[in-house]
Amino acid sequence: MAKTEEIILPSDPRAAKLMTVTGWVSRNGRWYGDDERTARYDGSTASECRECGTQCRKGYTMCDACSNKREREKYLALPEVDVPDGYMVCHEETYASDLSELIDELLEDGIFPTSACIYICEPNHAPDFNIYDHLCDVIPSEDDRWKSPKEILEAAVALNKALHEYGRNISWTAGKTRPKASLIAEIVGDREEELLEKEEANS
Ligand SMILES: [Zn+2]
């Protein structure tokens, strides 16, 4: 004989019971259950530097001083090479097509080039256009008989040809090599000499 299902109405004391639960609530009033770490993070206004333990911006793992030191160490470990013809160089958001030009800009901004991280950039090329990625949301998923019309395929081939031909060096990103430190020092030395000469001429 099949067991008849027990009927429990919402008013039945067995339908639910009142329980007291313990958990972490952040300063902002958000509930985190047993996740004390995230609750503490949510309720905090600053973070601690993992290197030196001083206070740093919330969400950052390092203070500015430690992060600059770390970048400098990584930078000095990069190979020093000649800047290839036609390549850009950069320091943070400042880009130039010529090392002397970049150094002049840094000096104007009061940044000392011999202790700054100047990178040789790598070019970014236009990526290929993939017609199937482009159409993936509208191609009937169950229907593998679907073929892109010849005209669209030909246009995609033509677009890719143009991207290869004209889409090179569209932009630049800091690469994994640096200009020779001796060359940077030499350019800075020249600028200092020029300044001295100007001062002497003016006096
Ligand atoms: Zn630090």
Side-chain angles (χ1 to χ4, degrees), residues 49 51-54 62-63 65-66:
C49 171
E51 294 286 321
C52 70
T54 58
M62 271 193 266
C63 69
C66 288

Side-chain angles (χ1 to χ4, degrees), residues 4-191:
T4 46
E5 205 189 324
E6 197 178 11
I7 310 267
I8 296 173
L9 295 173
S11 56
D12 190 309
R14 291 171 299 163
K17 62 182 173 183
L18 181 66
M19 274 184 81
T20 304
V21 288
T22 304
W24 288 91
V25 176
S26 78
R27 195 173 54 87
N28 301 319
R30 282 186 273 265
W31 167 262
Y32 287 93
D34 59 2
D35 189 356
E36 177 182 353
R37 207 180 112 118
T38 314
R40 287 188 174 280
Y41 177 77
D42 185 59
S44 66
T45 60
S47 294
E48 270 168 18
C49 171
R50 68 165 187 235
E51 294 286 321
C52 70
T54 58
Q55 191 179 302
C56 63
R57 277 173 286 174
K58 181 171 176 174
Y60 282 72
T61 53
M62 271 193 266
C63 69
D64 288 348
C66 288
S67 121
N68 290 343
K69 191 171 157 254
R70 173 67 63 89
E71 189 196 357
R72 186 71 188 163
E73 283 164 5
K74 279 194 188 167
Y75 175 78
L76 291 175
L78 293 178
E80 287 179 274
V81 299
D82 289 320
V83 183
D85 278 346
Y87 271 58
M88 302 278 288
V89 285
C90 71
H91 170 267
E92 292 175 0
E93 298 305 310
T94 310
Y95 290 75
S97 55
D98 181 82
L99 185 58
S100 314
E101 190 190 313
L102 181 71
I103 287 175
D104 288 341
E105 282 193 44
L106 296 185
L107 288 171
E108 263 174 44
D109 292 343
I111 297 164
F112 208 63
T114 49
S115 52
C117 297
I118 297 173
Y119 296 89
I120 297 175
C121 300
E122 290 296 331
N124 299 312
H125 306 310
D128 280 358
F129 173 74
N130 185 316
I131 185 68
Y132 293 102
D133 287 349
H134 181 66
L135 295 175
C136 67
D137 289 340
V138 290
I139 292 174
S141 57
E142 297 300 313
D143 190 357
D144 46 16
R145 286 167 305 167
W146 187 86
K147 294 272 183 294
S148 175
K150 189 168 121 287
E151 288 75 7
I152 294 181
L153 275 184
E154 282 172 1
V157 169
L159 174 57
N160 275 320
K161 192 165 170 273
L163 288 172
H164 287 168
E165 243 169 86
Y166 305 106
R168 303 187 66 74
N169 306 357
I170 278 186
S171 62
W172 298 82
T173 305
K176 293 186 166 52
T177 55
R178 61 186 173 113
K180 288 180 176 156
S182 55
L183 181 58
I184 296 174
E186 198 182 301
I187 299 171
V188 172
D190 287 349
R191 294 297 181 271

